[in-house]
Amino acid sequence: DTAVSQTPKYLVTQMGNDKSIKCEQNLGHDTMYWYKQDSKKFLKIMFSYNNKELIINETVPNRFSPKSPDKAHLNLHINSLELGDSAVYFCASSQGRTGGRDEQYFGPGTRLTVT
Amino acid sequence: AQSVTQLDSQVPVFEEAPVELRCNYSSSVSVYLFWYVQYPNQGLQLLLKYLSGSTLVKGINGFEAEFNKSQTSFHLRKPSVHISDTAEYFCAVIGPGYSTLTFGKGTMLLVSP
């Protein structure tokens, strides 16, 4: 059973389109995250949710909107896609609240390519 | 602000050789430190973590790391690497007053026969 799953694994789309990436965790964790990994492998936090409540919102354009329908799911919707949005997006979860000492479990990633 | 520096972007080694991947962090207070591994086309997986106590931490797959407070370092070591250890390794830190992990830029470990 996959602990943290993401769909789709690959996403190729044109500039200006709107797309969503879905994430689900079956670990019973309270906190979920979205990270962006750029072409140089640099990993940066975008958002964090704890029990469906937005905890962290780093300086991310308003075109990115996370949605957490329940604590097992955290989806990422991106409006008006730009070339610079091309990256690998990782979902992760942890037992404790953001900022704790708990291990984060990562999904396999979604490679987004904007043409 | 907290930060992490991984001094080597790439470390090539031969199979069965020892390896050390270097990580330095900046913080004036106590921190939690982590090493994650990312195999090709996969997500990150925790190798080991330092929270408190013994400064030598053992992790999965034969890796270990030593926390050195005076040198603000948390270097990762393995006495004998395998081809399957080829991956990107990330050091990460979180300290009091910070809400999120800060990752280093990663070190690519390339193990060749």
Side-chain angles (χ1 to χ4, degrees):
Chain A
D1 247 3
T2 306
V4 182
S5 59
Q6 294 178 229
T7 53
K9 190 166 174 64
Y10 299 96
L11 186 51
V12 180
T13 188
Q14 291 183 328
M15 281 197 306
N17 285 348
D18 304 338
K19 290 294 179 187
S20 292
I21 306 172
K22 295 186 176 182
C23 177
E24 176 181 1
Q25 54 97 0
N26 62 6
L27 298 166
H29 287 167
D30 290 334
T31 306
M32 295 185 73
Y33 311 80
W34 277 110
Y35 287 89
K36 179 179 180 181
Q37 187 176 47
D38 64 22
S39 58
K40 296 185 178 178
K41 298 285 184 82
F42 185 56
L43 202 63
K44 187 167 168 49
I45 184 80
M46 299 174 70
F47 302 102
S48 169
Y49 269 74
N50 180 268
N51 273 320
K52 302 196 299 175
E53 179 190 353
L54 181 65
I55 301 297
I56 298 290
N57 183 350
E58 293 292 311
T59 42
V60 176
N62 291 338
R63 301 182 294 102
F64 290 80
S65 53
K67 294 273 191 310
S68 182
D70 54 60
K71 77 172 195 177
H73 295 84
L74 180 61
N75 303 323
L76 183 65
H77 188 76
I78 316 170
N79 289 327
S80 303
L81 279 154
E82 300 177 356
L83 292 176
D85 298 332
S86 295
V88 181
Y89 292 84
F90 287 101
C91 177
S93 72
S94 67
Q95 178 60 51
R97 197 173 168 86
T98 304
R101 42 200 273 170
D102 300 307
E103 173 183 357
Q104 293 187 22
Y105 291 78
F106 284 77
T110 295
R111 183 175 295 275
L112 171 65
T113 304
V114 183
T115 61
Chain B
Q2 59 187 19
S3 67
V4 176
T5 303
Q6 291 184 244
L7 296 163
D8 305 298
S9 59
Q10 210 170 83
V11 174
V13 293
F14 289 109
E15 195 173 19
E16 298 183 7
V19 71
E20 178 180 83
L21 305 184
R22 296 179 292 170
C23 171
N24 286 88
Y25 66 93
S26 70
S27 176
S28 58
V29 296
S30 297
V31 295
Y32 302 138
L33 291 153
F34 304 79
W35 274 100
Y36 282 83
V37 61
Q38 183 179 23
Y39 297 105
N41 298 313
Q42 293 186 29
L44 279 72
Q45 177 185 0
L46 183 70
L47 269 181
L48 48 79
K49 61 183 177 183
Y50 172 78
L51 303 178
S52 64
S54 172
T55 57
L56 183 62
V57 180
K58 293 193 183 296
I60 62 171
N61 300 341
F63 283 93
E64 64 181 31
E66 184 147 24
F67 171 62
N68 188 319
K69 189 174 181 179
S70 62
Q71 296 185 6
T72 59
S73 68
F74 190 53
H75 300 333
L76 181 70
R77 300 187 185 99
K78 186 169 182 178
S80 176
V81 295
H82 301 291
I83 298 282
S84 58
D85 291 324
T86 294
E88 192 86 29
Y89 291 79
F90 292 93
C91 183
V93 63
I94 188 164
Y98 292 95
S99 303
T100 59
L101 278 173
T102 296
F103 284 88
K105 293 190 174 182
T107 298
M108 182 67 195
L109 176 62
L110 293 163
V111 183
S112 52

